[in-house]
Amino acid sequence: MSPQATPAPSRRPGRIQRRGLMLVLSSPSGAGKTTIARALLDGDRNLVMSVSATTRPPRPGEVPGRDYHFLGHAEFEAMIRDGQLLEHARVFDNMYGTPRQPVEEALVGGWDVLFDIDWQGTQQLRQNARADLVSIFILPPSVAELEQRLRSRAQDSDEVVRKRMAKAGDEMSHWPEYDYIVVNSDIGASVEAVQSILAAERLKRERQIGLADFVNDLRG
Ligand SMILES: Nc1nc2c(ncn2[C@@H]2O[C@H](COP(=O)(O)OP(=O)(O)O)[C@@H](O)[C@H]2O)c(=O)[nH]1
Ligand SMILES: [Mg+2]
């Protein structure tokens, strides 16, 4: 697999700079997280997606390297062994993990990185990179809505839908571990909510490097 190319950072001395942040979106399957993530990426040129590695087979329409890096079990194990994953977890019957290098390069370059990962991965990121992490949990507005969204994905069998519904309860029990909670009743409103969170987090004092020099200049 090849890490996603990150544009070269443009940094000028004497300017306020900012280290990138890690924006995590988690939710049970079918709460609308993927739709929200796509809309965020479309509307924000400073945000890049972390493309996960997984042992799950591609679904129809999924593009290797864009949606996931689809790996065999041996390849995945090798990435773990070589320390190439920032976090990894078993979800349902498959392994998922975040390649380390593209994320580290993006953050240093001042890019914000968006993650679509589960609570297990979020716990690991919180342990290893608390200062960079902003985590959002997306909840469905109702059980009926969640089931309807899962069923409307023709590619998943009844069996898979049943399993995911059963798992959704477990997933949702992790909401207290997140910084922000968004109930996704309306996709447009949810996207705006996440954009507002991102805008505020970018302005956090600790994330802005070079403020002291900037203010000294202002004071003459
Ligand atoms: N820990 C972890 N979880 C991931 C990663 N990539 C995806 N996931 C999670 O794995 C779960 C299943 O993802 P996917 O197979 O795309 O099915 P989905 O539930 O329909 O989105 C979702 O909760 C994802 O957030 C990863 O790199 N690490
Ligand atoms: Mg997904």
Side-chain angles (χ1 to χ4, degrees), residues 32-44:
K33 174 186 46 177
T34 305
T35 314
I36 293 173
R38 290 217 180 102
L40 285 174
L41 290 166
D42 281 350
D44 194 322

Side-chain angles (χ1 to χ4, degrees), residues 25-30 33-34 50-54 56 59 62 68 76 87-92 94-99 115-122 124 150 153 156 164 171:
L25 296 184
S26 295
S27 74
S29 298
K33 174 186 46 177
T34 305
S50 165
V51 179
S52 294
T54 183
R56 124 160 128 59
R59 294 178 186 148
E62 282 185 327
Y68 281 103
F76 196 96
E87 59 77 31
H88 64 273
R90 174 175 290 277
V91 184
F92 303 113
N94 297 296
M95 295 300 294
Y96 294 82
T98 302
F115 299 79
D116 171 346
I117 63 174
D118 80 335
W119 61 270
Q120 304 175 82
T122 310
Q124 293 170 51
L150 283 178
R153 293 183 193 176
D156 290 332
R164 293 191 167 208
E171 285 285 329

Side-chain angles (χ1 to χ4, degrees), residues 159-210:
E159 166 69 14
V160 170
V161 170
R162 257 196 307 280
K163 255 174 127 171
R164 293 191 167 208
M165 282 300 291
K167 194 94 193 223
D170 284 349
E171 285 285 329
M172 287 190 284
S173 72
H174 290 276
W175 67 268
E177 298 160 27
Y178 286 73
D179 299 324
Y180 298 92
I181 309 295
V182 172
V183 177
N184 184 24
S185 314
D186 174 86
I187 197 78
S190 299
V191 170
E192 277 179 27
V194 175
Q195 283 169 335
S196 306
I197 293 167
L198 185 53
E201 290 285 347
R202 282 172 170 164
L203 293 172
K204 280 254 171 91
R205 185 185 63 244
E206 313 89 77
R207 295 215 163 88
Q208 301 195 55
I209 305 161

